[in-house]
Amino acid sequence: MPEIDYRLARTVAVISFANPPVNGLSQAVRAGISAALRRAQADPSAQAIVLTGAGGLFSAGADIREFGTPASMADPTLRDLIHLVETSAKPVIAAIAGTCLGGGLELALAAHYRVASADAKLGLPEVKLGLLPGAGGTQRLPRLVGVERAINMIVSGEPVPATDLASTALLDLLVDGDPLARAVELAASSAVATKPPPMTRDIPLDDPNLTTLCQAIRARLETQRPLLPAPMRAVDAIEAAGRPFDEGLSLERRAFLELMETPESKGLRHAFFAERATAKVDGITPSTPVRPLHQAAVIGAGTMGAGIAVALLDAGMPLWLVEADQDALDRGLTRIAGIFDGQVKKGKLTAGERDRRLALLRPTLSYEAAGHADVVIEAVFESLTVKREVFTALDRVMKPGAILATNTSTLDVNTIADFTRRPSDVLGLHFFSPANVMRLLEVVRGRATTPEVLATALALGKALRKVAVVSGVCDGFIGNRMLEAYTRQAWYLVEEGATPQQIDQAMEAFGMAMGPFRVGDLVGHDVSLAIRQRRRAERPGYLCSTLPDKLCQLGRLGQKTGAGWYDYPEGPRRPIASAVVEELITSHRAEIGVAPRRIEDSEITDRLVYALLNEGARILEDGIAARSSDIDVVYLAGYGFPRPRGGPMFYADQVGLDRVLRRVREFARNPHGDPAFWTPAPLLKRLAEAGERFDQTGDSPSTSTK
Ligand code: 3H9
């Protein structure tokens, strides 16, 4: 429950608000602060007021969980509270420590003076939720920090260190440590007492460059894909700050309310909570022990192993890099150094920092040397025979209590665990290439994995700044199991008449970072060929186009061979439609007896996205994912699914599961289709028929009732 504390420090009323963990400005907090402000007005002993957040931070802003519920509009609104602060007859001083974001900063902007600690971070991140600052931020920030800086802060949504704002009118004092004592001192000073409280709204905004700056940023935003409404509306509101204050304020208000209803904002808000919900894992509580991880080992220095090593080195973890022979080890070291050198060249890392990271690396050809590591991650060739050799050796050399992880993307983690005499210490840590860049980490919980080992893996994910999602064991886990359905469907679309280019363009227009054929060329086709061959052998009746097999037979294995679905005469960034592939597709269609037809882009996007979510529904029903939002996070953080659409399962909920089901049944009637492929997942059928949604958590922006 939120707590509002009111006390007197000589002649100053100190109002402190607490609403852990981030002092969100919920209705109860707003009402509490408002009552305390009124009390201070009436308190003859109080000459000035200091407003501060408890627990070492000011506030992360409006309580996002209230959005879309009556509580967000209930009195006093944040705007009412801000008005009360700004028009207070007694001066109000905001004492800002730690985080001061969104509505929290808007509240502080309306105070008459602000004192911040040097390590505070201030920002208006609303655009990241598909919104704009809706409580005066677009009007007051430009008046205090200037138009250009305000545009940058509002359009990027990135927080700024208080030290960067020290020279602006936003901060009256910057202090080391807790700002409260200095704020009280300032509040009691004669400088404050002898003049009427200055109101931010009264500061004239007469920057002659206002329109030019706004036009320049609009032109830049228009080139961005996807084109999102929130940053544009934010720029409109900032431009309106040149008009009378109340006019600008009501334009901002209208835009905020309209943006709140956009699918983009709903998707982004869902993504925000979905990422945080991944940390809630069955069987793990705050008291589950976590093993200390001081040193790591990576087995295999190929592309994946090198990327994982860089991710660990970035987190400051000393590690052994183990390879089978000197040449492979040397190639791995060159890869790792290459990644760091690239970052130095781009100015993302200093040469000194690169050297410090490389100094943590201990290359070795001996498993024994790596035996002292607290966690070992295997990233060798995707074959059970090879994994057996590696895990048998690890079981022999690793110290008791070490965590043994496999980076397999499809193999059975339980089988791998059984290669050791300590299956409870084994789990999957599935990184995504490039492993030091991609945010997703699938943590695969084996049959025997203990909660302690799982909790430690999640802590490692956090240390590596990844979004860790727990998956059960199945072929492909969450992400690749769904991807398989998606790519199989993409190949069927080509058989029926679409081109790889049309499909890629349609999916990129939908918002995917890259279409499926460009992704295939990037990843390389040899690994997926091996997986298909295994599946054909293992799964009776497994149907899959042979078109990609034929591509491989031509030696077109993707970018690494200079050719795949596309030609790459000018390097990897410029895929060119290939005459060879066109011919291959034509002869393949003739061979399987399909006359090509014209396929609309909407059919492409529906078939591919519904293929994803139909498999997602099976994954959910099988208990491989704990909740539908975990599946969304896997696709947002690891597969380039557009964040404003919230993830494939959330997208399905927005479309309506009954509509999705009808369309899936239509696809099953396609004469050239694979009817078994389009058998609706039982969960999809059940929820659609009951008028329900995949997301049952209540955290979703459109279902929240808090
Ligand atoms: C706004 O202010 C609109 C106004 O302009 C106008 C209004 C009229 N509300 O991220 P963490 C929860 S829009 C509710 O893991 P960290 C979060 O869900 C708002 N809950 O910690 C999690 O809960 P749980 C503009 C919130 O240390 C817990 O706090 N503000 C909110 O890594 C811990 O979060 C933003 O967009 C919130 N505002 O990072 C700020 N914020 O434990 C969004 C967090 O149950 N927040 N929670 O899973 C952040 O960027 C980060 O959470 C923050 C802390 C940097 C604050």
Side-chain angles (χ1 to χ4, degrees), residues 408-477:
T408 181
S409 53
T410 49
L411 298 176
D412 186 334
V413 171
N414 292 327
T415 309
I416 295 174
D418 287 341
F419 295 150
T420 73
R421 290 160 297 169
R422 40 175 137 175
S424 57
D425 286 340
V426 179
L427 85 176
L429 286 180
H430 182 210
F431 289 78
F432 289 75
S433 193
N436 57 312
V437 177
M438 295 297 287
R439 289 175 65 230
L440 178 64
L441 178 66
E442 272 183 327
V443 178
V444 187
R445 178 183 210 160
R447 193 192 305 123
T449 310
T450 59
E452 182 175 329
V453 168
L454 192 63
T456 309
L458 293 173
L460 176 65
K462 203 162 194 181
L464 300 183
R465 302 165 73 90
K466 304 271 179 210
V467 187
V469 179
V470 174
S471 167
V473 175
C474 68
D475 192 348
F477 316 124

Side-chain angles (χ1 to χ4, degrees), residues 283-302:
I284 295 191
T285 65
S287 57
T288 306
V290 172
R291 295 183 190 169
L293 299 180
H294 300 298
Q295 329 190 64
V298 174
I299 314 292

Side-chain angles (χ1 to χ4, degrees), residues 21-22 60-65 67 78 99 101-103 106 125-126 129 132-135 253 256 272-273 276 280:
V22 295
D63 187 334
I64 312 170
R65 286 181 199 273
F67 286 176
L78 188 54
T99 305
L101 298 176
E106 291 176 296
E126 286 85 345
L129 301 171
L132 87 179
R253 181 67 185 159
F256 181 80
F272 177 85
F273 287 117
R276 279 145 188 93
K280 297 172 180 103

Side-chain angles (χ1 to χ4, degrees), residues 27-28 30-31 70-77 80:
Q27 196 273 336
R30 299 191 308 264
S72 70
M73 301 288 179
D75 289 343
T77 65
D80 296 337

Side-chain angles (χ1 to χ4, degrees), residues 23-108:
N23 292 341
L25 298 168
S26 64
Q27 196 273 336
V29 173
R30 299 191 308 264
I33 299 176
S34 177
L37 282 169
R38 290 183 201 284
R39 179 173 164 190
Q41 301 300 331
D43 187 341
S45 313
Q47 284 168 17
I49 302 159
V50 168
L51 188 58
T52 189
L57 80 158
F58 193 74
S59 165
D63 187 334
I64 312 170
R65 286 181 199 273
E66 277 186 353
F67 286 176
T69 74
S72 70
M73 301 288 179
D75 289 343
T77 65
L78 188 54
R79 287 155 48 89
D80 296 337
L81 178 62
I82 283 173
H83 182 72
L84 203 60
V85 167
E86 192 163 53
T87 55
S88 161
K90 297 182 180 178
V92 180
I93 293 90
I96 304 168
T99 305
C100 180
L101 298 176
L105 178 56
E106 291 176 296
L107 182 61

